[in-house]
Amino acid sequence: MQISKDTLISEILKINPKSAEILMGYGMGCLGCPASQMESLEQAAMVHGIDLDTLLKELNQ
């Protein structure tokens, strides 16, 4: 399954086993927070000031 900007953080963690490590490497340390579970990748990237296209490429490798 392809991860998109609209994919929820909770779904990403299920889709890609390496996603937690990747997201944390970008400074997203709140992966277990209830609010982040209902947040899209686009929303999370915006909050953390992360380039969405770069993050998407890495998550979809």
Side-chain angles (χ1 to χ4, degrees):
M1 177 178 206
Q2 188 79 1
I3 295 170
S4 74
K5 66 182 179 105
D6 298 316
T7 307
L8 298 179
I9 297 296
S10 59
E11 294 172 342
I12 293 170
L13 294 172
K14 293 176 188 171
I15 294 169
N16 181 347
K18 296 179 182 178
S19 63
E21 182 180 330
I22 293 168
L23 294 171
M24 290 179 72
Y26 278 87
M28 294 185 191
C30 301
L31 299 178
C33 299
S36 73
Q37 299 300 300
M38 297 306 295
E39 191 172 51
S40 72
L41 184 62
E42 181 177 39
Q43 292 168 322
M46 187 171 35
V47 167
H48 292 278
I50 298 166
D51 181 72
L52 181 60
D53 291 330
T54 302
L55 181 56
L56 275 168
K57 285 178 188 174
E58 191 166 348
L59 287 169
N60 282 308
Q61 287 183 350

